[in-house]
Amino acid sequence: MDLIDDPSEAGNSPEFSVTELSGAIKRVIEGEFGHVRIRGEVGRVSRPRSGHVYLDLKDDRSVISGVMWKGTASRLQTQPEEGMEVIATGRITTFGGQSKYQIVIEDIKPAGMGALMALLEKRKGMLQAEGLFDESRKRPLPYLPDIIGVVTSPSGAVIRDILHRLRDRFPRKVLIWPVAVQGERCAPEVARAIAGFNAMTPGGALPRPDLLIVARGGGSVEDLWGFNEEIVARAAAASEIPLISAVGHETDTTLIDYVSDRRAPTPTAAAELAVPVRHELLAWLGGQGARMSQALSTTLVRRRQRLSDLGRALPRPEVLVEGPRQRLDLLGDRLGPALIAGVQRRKVKLSEASGSLRPATLRRTVQTARRDLDRLSARLAPALARAVAAKSERFASRTARFDPAALTAQTATARRDLDRLVAGITRAGQGQTQTLRRKIDAMDRLRETLSYKATLARGYAVVRGDGDVVTTKAGAKKAATLEIEFADGKLLVGGKASGAAPKKTAPKAPDQGSLF
């Protein structure tokens, strides 16, 4: 008989096992309810590691459990979140393990535009609270990137508009990462594309872009919803490469626009933000070059005029050497007579000294000195004997007064006093030495700070000419040789090709024989 038929009045009620009764209920419910569509609010949502999604659908009076298997959940364009009003399509079944019925959801969508906007505002508030929208974390775009990475569909008009605009403004290398720009594959592919571009090696076989553009044409909110997903916004925020978002038209706004470094109203505008206009840049460079040439020419003319003015204020070289030349001639005329007069004076002195040197006089002086020596030597021996005797008596008297024990005690006391004084002097000397060492170290650090060597280490140099420091261009021109001192050594620059001063010839020594 049928399990749900009432038992006959004459027979006893049949007995069913729990599994039999659960299976019968399952068949009845699944037979009565095939595919159904349920509108309700999402309650509790659970996502275990298996990948399945368990949730509750509720209204103001009832709750029904729902489950989405892993394959269905991965294909959804919009993931269910608590508080979202949705329309779920699936089949009603039972779960005997917990004696409950549930809906196996095969598709779930937000219940209208209001639900999508509420979900968008919720995500926007969460990301804003994390600081992903802050202007302080956004980086400036490179002025002229070498390589531009574009994340978009390779078959749409967007990529053609970007390439055409880049070619008109400033041709650059472009790497295209093809992605789906709408549907359930949009969000994960865009997030992987941004992460993939960031994972490239700078300067590698496939070089890493200097700038990223995420672009898509206009569309409805549902078409652009992939760019409102959290994984896309977080991937754009985590990008180390500056990123321009160009999703939709000027009035369309998605979450990626808030976290990107710059937002472009259209894909074409993104290309204009990425590179400058080449002709305008060339014209600007030409104008700057002309201004620089004019400024250089004006500076040279002004310096030449200044040099000419200073040259007129200086005296002529002939005037500078007239006085020294006259003094040289005057001293040259006085030199010969002065030498002759000096020789004559020395001859007179020599004659006077030689006149007093006579042999007889020298012999008398030697004899007198010898007699005095003999007389003094005769008196020396008795005087020495008396002195030795007197000193012996004084030594004997002093020796008698010496007591070894007293000397030992006195010596010990003196040694202790000496050790104490030596220790005090040592401590004082060490303290004074440390103080002086600290002062010397401080003065040495001050010397290093004030020394011109530190200035040389920053890229400066000292120029010396003929032994003196040269501080002007005129001084450098006058110097015969230049010595340039750098931080790591000195460099000697050779003499000038022309205009060098002639070497002075040493004056010829006078013939001494002619003087005497």
Side-chain angles (χ1 to χ4, degrees):
M1 74 175 189
D2 194 356
L3 289 175
I4 63 174
D5 290 340
D6 294 330
S8 61
E9 295 179 0
N12 295 328
S13 297
E15 296 180 354
F16 304 107
S17 66
V18 175
T19 302
E20 290 174 343
L21 184 59
S22 177
I25 296 173
K26 180 180 180 71
R27 287 192 296 273
V28 170
I29 292 178
E30 290 181 352
E32 287 293 328
F33 301 95
H35 279 74
V36 296
R37 299 177 73 235
I38 302 176
R39 184 186 184 104
E41 181 182 344
V42 178
R44 174 192 56 87
V45 180
S46 176
R47 291 182 173 86
R49 299 183 63 181
S50 61
H52 309 316
V53 179
Y54 299 94
L55 53 85
D56 292 335
L57 295 175
K58 61 183 180 179
D59 56 15
D60 56 345
R61 289 179 292 178
S62 302
V63 178
I64 183 172
S65 299
V67 60
M68 282 190 298
W69 306 126
K70 179 179 179 180
T72 303
S74 63
R75 293 193 302 270
L76 290 179
Q77 181 177 358
T78 303
Q79 294 294 328
E81 298 182 10
E82 186 174 354
M84 184 189 304
E85 187 176 2
V86 297
I87 298 177
T89 303
R91 54 186 177 84
I92 301 295
T93 183
T94 63
F95 179 52
Q98 294 183 356
S99 298
K100 69 178 183 179
Y101 66 93
Q102 61 187 9
I103 178 173
V104 178
I105 300 173
E106 297 176 356
D107 187 23
I108 188 170
K109 295 181 179 178
M113 187 66 68
L116 284 177
M117 292 297 101
L119 177 60
L120 178 60
E121 290 300 323
K122 180 180 178 181
R123 289 179 181 171
K124 181 179 177 182
M126 178 184 65
L127 297 177
Q128 186 173 10
E130 295 180 12
L132 299 186
F133 297 170
D134 294 345
E135 292 295 330
S136 59
R137 57 165 297 277
K138 297 186 178 183
R139 293 153 298 182
L141 303 181
Y143 180 72
L144 187 60
D146 291 332
I147 301 173
I148 301 175
V150 180
V151 179
T152 188
S153 173
S155 59
V158 170
I159 187 62
R160 292 195 296 271
D161 292 343
I162 292 176
L163 294 177
H164 177 72
R165 196 59 176 163
L166 290 176
R167 186 167 53 253
D168 289 345
R169 290 176 65 87
F170 207 120
R172 297 281 87 186
K173 295 180 182 179
V174 178
L175 294 179
I176 303 174
W177 194 301
V179 297
V181 292
Q182 71 181 52
E184 60 187 20
R185 295 186 297 112
C186 173
E189 288 187 3
V190 171
R192 285 195 297 269
I194 295 175
F197 273 132
N198 280 270
M200 291 182 178
T201 304
L206 191 61
R208 175 179 172 180
D210 303 313
L211 179 67
L212 293 184
I213 299 177
V214 179
R216 188 205 186 281
S220 63
V221 175
E222 291 80 2
D223 294 337
L224 303 178
W225 191 255
F227 298 93
N228 286 321
E229 293 292 342
E230 184 178 350
I231 57 172
V232 175
R234 292 192 180 278
S239 175
E240 296 180 358
I241 305 173
L243 187 143
I244 301 176
S245 64
V247 179
H249 296 303
E250 188 169 358
T251 57
D252 298 324
T253 304
T254 57
L255 284 182
I256 194 175
D257 295 330
Y258 293 102
V259 298
S260 61
D261 297 302
R262 290 288 296 274
R263 176 186 180 269
T266 61
T268 303
E272 294 176 356
L273 290 175
V275 294
V277 180
R278 184 176 183 178
H279 298 298
E280 294 179 359
L281 184 59
L282 291 176
W284 181 83
L285 288 176
Q288 294 298 318
R291 291 178 59 188
M292 184 174 64
S293 299
Q294 183 179 2
L296 180 61
S297 177
T298 304
T299 302
L300 291 177
V301 171
R302 187 166 57 251
R303 295 291 178 85
R304 186 180 296 111
Q305 182 63 36
R306 178 62 175 168
L307 181 62
S308 177
D309 295 341
L310 293 175
R312 287 194 298 269
L314 293 175
R316 292 178 301 166
E318 295 81 1
V319 176
L320 293 176
V321 298
E322 284 178 355
R325 182 182 293 118
Q326 291 179 358
R327 287 195 297 272
L328 178 62
D329 293 340
L330 178 61
L331 293 176
D333 294 339
R334 294 169 56 186
L335 179 60
L339 290 175
I340 295 174
V343 171
Q344 293 296 333
R345 287 195 301 272
R346 286 170 176 75
K347 282 184 177 181
V348 171
K349 289 181 179 181
L350 180 61
S351 299
E352 292 175 353
S354 61
S356 61
L357 297 177
R358 297 287 187 271
T361 304
L362 292 175
R363 281 195 295 272
R364 285 195 301 271
T365 304
V366 170
Q367 290 176 359
T368 302
R370 182 177 291 113
R371 285 194 299 270
D372 294 339
L373 179 60
D374 293 339
R375 185 176 66 254
L376 292 174
S377 60
R379 296 167 54 188
L380 180 60
L384 288 176
R386 288 192 300 272
V388 169
K391 289 183 180 296
S392 297
E393 291 177 359
R394 287 196 300 271
F395 179 73
S397 61
R398 291 180 181 178
T399 303
R401 296 198 304 268
F402 289 158
D403 186 2
L407 289 175
T408 302
Q410 186 177 4
T411 302
T413 302
R415 184 178 290 108
R416 286 194 299 271
D417 295 339
L418 178 62
D419 293 340
R420 185 175 64 256
L421 292 175
V422 168
I425 293 173
T426 302
R427 287 193 300 270
Q430 290 176 351
Q432 187 176 7
T433 302
Q434 292 176 357
T435 302
L436 293 176
R437 183 177 291 109
R438 286 194 296 270
K439 290 183 178 179
I440 292 174
D441 293 340
M443 295 180 66
D444 187 64
R445 288 193 298 271
L446 180 60
R447 180 187 62 81
E448 292 292 337
T449 303
L450 300 178
S451 175
Y452 75 98
K453 298 289 186 179
T455 306
L456 295 182
R458 296 199 298 271
Y460 293 88
V462 177
V463 181
R464 296 183 176 90
D466 298 335
D468 296 329
V469 176
V470 177
T471 59
T472 62
K473 181 178 177 182
K477 285 185 176 182
K478 291 180 180 181
T481 59
L482 294 178
E483 181 187 71
I484 304 176
E485 182 178 359
F486 298 95
D488 56 350
K490 298 181 180 179
L491 174 66
L492 184 64
V493 180
K496 295 184 290 185
S498 63
K503 295 183 179 179
K504 294 183 179 181
T505 304
K508 184 177 179 181
D511 189 358
Q512 297 182 2
S514 62
L515 295 177
F516 297 98

